[in-house]
Amino acid sequence: MQHFTKVDHPLVQHKLTKMREVKASTAKFRMLLRELSHLLAYEITRDLPMTTATIDTPLEQMDSPVLKGKKLALVSILRAGNGLLDGVLELIPSARVGFVGLYRDEETLEPVQYYFKVPKDMAQRVVIAVDPMLATGNSAVAAIDLLKKSGATDIRFLCLLAAPEGVARMKEAHPDVPIVSAALDRELSDIGYILPGLGDAGDRMFGTK
Ligand code: URA
């Protein structure tokens, strides 16, 4: 997988445009996020290892492709990560789930950890970290640092929007972690918002503003 993949499928792009619009209600925003998370999950799991199983169709026996069964862990970077998590879990219901709680200090823009709970056997799992917004990259880098400390070696990062600054920061700190995103926006504002962006993803999905 390359370091940064933009999913430019027409459905993804159309739904993302609808989400960006300031007039989208909380309910609409959530619904679109859920739909988009299915489509993005499809892309981030594209290279999962496969094997074959011998099955009987109504007509004959065949060797048919199935997932090799490598264990998965989805890790939500709280709180906005939960908006992506639900949809990805619907597609991969047997995945284990972890949470990393980080908030952004509004003055320094640096991440502050307040929660960390992941499955025990992270070294054996394909880990998909989810956070809709890859902005400065500070939270993403800190979360991946923690996941690596917990033993994870095969990690991917799934987001909705990325800023060039965040992608560069991730490439520098974690070049082994591929990023899948629906868009690469222009830049960060001076207070760390992605431009043109969609505003505060957490506030928009939970209706807290
Ligand atoms: N987090 C958000 O929710 N939005 C941004 O634009 C940047 C970080």
Side-chain angles (χ1 to χ4, degrees):
M1 222 185 219
Q2 57 197 21
H3 182 254
F4 181 83
T5 303
K6 177 189 160 194
V7 185
D8 51 13
H9 190 285
L11 285 178
V12 170
Q13 294 307 313
H14 180 84
K15 288 175 192 298
L16 179 59
T17 298
K18 296 283 166 201
M19 284 184 82
R20 288 183 189 270
E21 285 189 282
V22 67
K23 67 180 184 196
S25 66
T26 302
K28 178 96 182 164
F29 189 90
R30 262 191 222 143
M31 187 191 78
L32 289 163
L33 181 58
R34 196 174 205 89
E35 292 169 357
L36 267 172
S37 57
H38 291 157
L39 298 165
L40 294 174
Y42 176 85
E43 190 62 39
I44 204 152
T45 50
R46 182 180 280 285
D47 67 346
L48 286 183
M50 301 293 291
T51 183
T52 55
T54 306
I55 59 162
D56 296 306
T57 78
L59 300 176
E60 58 179 87
Q61 200 171 67
M62 72 176 286
D63 289 330
S64 194
V66 286
L67 288 170
K68 204 165 182 178
K70 191 151 188 218
K71 298 190 277 185
L72 273 145
L74 307 177
V75 178
S76 168
I77 302 175
L78 296 171
R79 73 184 159 144
N82 283 9
L84 270 181
L85 174 71
D86 290 345
V88 180
L89 253 183
E90 280 168 10
L91 225 64
I92 319 171
S94 58
R96 297 296 162 91
V97 179
F99 294 94
V100 181
L102 296 167
Y103 68 86
R104 194 159 65 146
D105 184 301
E106 293 301 334
E107 273 174 21
T108 64
L109 303 185
E110 288 299 320
V112 183
Q113 182 194 331
Y114 64 89
Y115 190 75
F116 186 75
K117 183 91 179 171
V118 293
K120 284 201 177 72
D121 50 354
M122 291 292 274
Q124 275 77 56
R125 294 183 180 272
V126 175
V127 177
I128 302 175
V130 297
D131 187 351
M133 310 299 271
L134 177 57
T136 60
N138 290 340
S139 302
V141 166
I144 305 293
D145 283 343
L146 291 168
L147 294 175
K148 286 186 173 172
K149 263 190 213 147
S150 76
T153 56
D154 184 351
I155 309 173
R156 296 130 200 246
F157 188 86
L158 182 63
C159 60
L160 203 55
L161 289 190
E165 294 89 335
V167 175
R169 174 105 170 80
M170 277 285 276
K171 189 163 191 178
E172 190 193 337
H174 297 296
D176 56 318
V177 175
I179 301 163
V180 170
S181 178
L184 180 61
D185 274 12
R186 192 180 68 244
E187 62 184 343
L188 286 183
S189 74
D190 51 10
I191 54 164
Y193 277 88
I194 297 177
L195 297 173
L198 51 72
D200 187 298
D203 281 342
R204 293 202 64 192
M205 73 182 70
F206 298 118
T208 40
K209 214 167 204 176

